[in-house]
């Protein structure tokens, strides 16, 4: 079950939508990621389809990274012209480079994989009680306006013998947040990733975020925030388990 609620803590008022289980852990839109495309291009060059390569030339991957950075820089330059700025003015000279690098950082999740980030940190502990990592800060970009949305994620699961290194839950959030996203898909992808790596008895993910596209522009509602949840397995089937999770994420820890 997934759930989304805006402007309040009572998620039951929100619209509900159901998603099938076992969806692929891709970038969610069925498209090849820019980095995958970049790797394919680099491979072509490595395979000799990209013309001769000088001995002192940058490696194919480096060359390709430079090429995509160049494309991004020109696009930023055009944006500057579009907003009526002069890209040659001193303060803006390095702006295309900075923006391109910032965008690359903010979308680095396209370049990561679940397998690499988990790095085998799955332990057979025989622990079968709820594990919850809450208040995981997240920063993402909405795919509609490419403006930030930011907030917190809470990720819980009930193991079926296997547990994962705690930091890996935060890394999973990070991998999916560092892409162009909608909050609902981000929430669902995190839940499905935990399900994939651990096959636990259940997974629950709640994301609370505020969207700059609703704050700084458009409807301009600075106090609004959106809550989305994805509940799988026992969190979906058993109301008591779901309530225990919701109580735990409401409780303020004493060290705060
Ligand atoms: N469901 C969902 N919607 C989002 C998310 N981020 C942004 N949006 C919404 O995407 C919608 C895009 O609507 P459009 O009418 O195509 O674009 P717009 O004219 O810029 O819309 P306004 O923001 O209402 O001005 C807006 O309602 C945004 O609030 C998200 O994570 N989830
Ligand atoms: Zn938006």
């Amino acid at each position: 079950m997934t759930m989304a609620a805006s402007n309040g803590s009572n998620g039951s008022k929100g619209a509900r939508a159901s998603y099938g289980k076992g969806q692929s852990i891709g970038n969610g839109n069925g498209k090849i990621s820019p980095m995958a495309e970049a790797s394919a291009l680099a491979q072509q060059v490595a395979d000799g389809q990209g013309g001769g390569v000088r001995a002192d030339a940058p490696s194919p991957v480096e060359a390709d990274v430079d090429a995509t950075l160049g494309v991004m820089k020109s696009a930023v330059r055009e944006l500057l012209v579009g907003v009526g700025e002069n890209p040659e003015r001193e303060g803006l000279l390095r702006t295309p480079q900075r923006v391109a690098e910032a965008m690359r950082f903010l979308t680095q999740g396209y370049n990561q994989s679940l397998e690499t980030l988990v790095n085998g940190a799955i332990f057979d502990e025989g622990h079968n009680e709820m594990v919850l990592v809450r208040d995981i800060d997240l920063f993402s970009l909405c795919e509609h306006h490419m403006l930030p949305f930011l907030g917190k994620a809470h990720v819980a699961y009930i193991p079926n013998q296997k547990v994962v290194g705690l930091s890996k839950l935060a890394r999973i959030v990070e991998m999916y947040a560092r892409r162009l996203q909608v909050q609902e898909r981000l929430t669902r992808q995190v839940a499905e990733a935990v399900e994939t790596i651990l096959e636990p008895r259940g997974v629950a993910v709640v994301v609370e975020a505020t969207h700059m596209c609703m704050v700084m522009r458009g409807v301009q509602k600075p106090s609004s925030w959106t809550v989305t949840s994805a509940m799988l397995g026992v969190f979906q089937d058993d109301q008591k388990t779901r309530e225990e999770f919701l109580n735990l994420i409401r409780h303020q820890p004493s060290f705060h």
Side-chain angles (χ1 to χ4, degrees):
M1 177 181 70
T2 61
M3 176 172 77
S6 274
N7 257 14
S9 55
N10 183 353
S12 63
K13 285 184 188 153
R16 281 157 192 256
S18 289
Y19 298 94
K21 280 189 187 177
Q23 291 172 5
S24 67
I25 312 291
N27 64 9
N29 55 18
K31 289 184 187 152
I32 301 170
S33 76
M35 287 315 291
E37 239 174 294
S39 308
L41 267 169
Q43 191 58 49
Q44 277 180 17
V45 177
D47 291 347
Q49 298 161 25
V53 181
R54 296 193 331 266
D56 62 345
S59 75
V61 173
E62 278 166 359
D64 202 61
V65 165
D66 287 351
T68 51
L69 207 65
V71 170
M72 290 164 83
K73 281 164 64 177
S74 335
V76 176
R77 219 186 116 86
E78 296 205 8
L79 265 179
L80 289 171
V81 174
V83 300
E85 264 292 358
N86 169 16
E88 304 304 329
R89 125 173 129 69
E90 200 187 341
L92 294 178
L93 280 178
R94 289 199 59 242
T95 296
Q97 173 83 22
R98 293 189 193 101
V99 175
E101 284 171 2
M103 284 308 294
R104 177 161 288 167
F105 177 85
L106 297 172
T107 57
Q108 64 188 303
Y110 287 124
N111 200 24
Q112 296 169 339
S113 80
L114 197 51
E115 199 182 8
T116 313
L117 77 79
V118 171
N119 192 29
I122 291 179
F123 316 110
D124 209 332
E125 280 300 316
H127 181 80
N128 285 325
E129 297 300 322
M130 189 185 306
V131 179
L132 163 66
V133 179
R134 48 170 281 183
D135 297 316
I136 301 169
D137 290 301
L138 72 87
F139 301 90
S140 190
L141 293 176
C142 85
E143 68 183 20
H144 303 121
H145 304 94
M146 293 175 70
L147 286 172
F149 67 93
L150 52 138
K152 289 187 189 298
H154 314 291
V155 181
Y157 66 96
I158 298 191
N160 185 5
Q161 305 296 321
K162 286 187 288 186
V163 299
V164 66
L166 292 175
S167 69
K168 307 303 181 188
L169 296 175
R171 286 190 188 281
I172 291 171
V173 171
E174 187 72 7
M175 176 174 83
Y176 289 108
R178 298 294 191 186
R179 299 176 181 197
L180 301 185
Q181 276 289 8
V182 295
Q183 188 176 324
E184 295 91 329
R185 186 170 70 229
L186 167 62
T187 311
R188 193 180 76 241
Q189 286 177 327
V190 172
E192 289 177 352
V194 177
E195 189 177 51
T196 301
I197 56 172
L198 288 179
E199 297 171 331
R201 290 173 52 225
V203 188
V205 179
V206 165
V207 174
E208 304 168 304
T210 181
H211 290 243
M212 287 307 127
C213 63
M214 283 180 69
V215 170
M216 297 172 65
R217 57 158 297 286
V219 74
Q220 297 182 58
K221 296 293 172 211
S223 309
S224 69
W225 49 291
T226 303
V227 185
T228 46
S229 75
M231 305 277 173
L232 304 177
V234 284
F235 288 96
Q236 186 178 85
D237 302 335
D238 180 25
Q239 196 185 341
K240 272 180 86 174
T241 309
R242 188 162 62 240
E243 274 170 13
E244 185 189 345
F245 165 70
L246 293 173
N247 279 335
L248 284 170
I249 66 173
R250 262 196 292 271
H251 166 77
Q252 280 305 316
S254 51
F255 52 81
H256 263 218

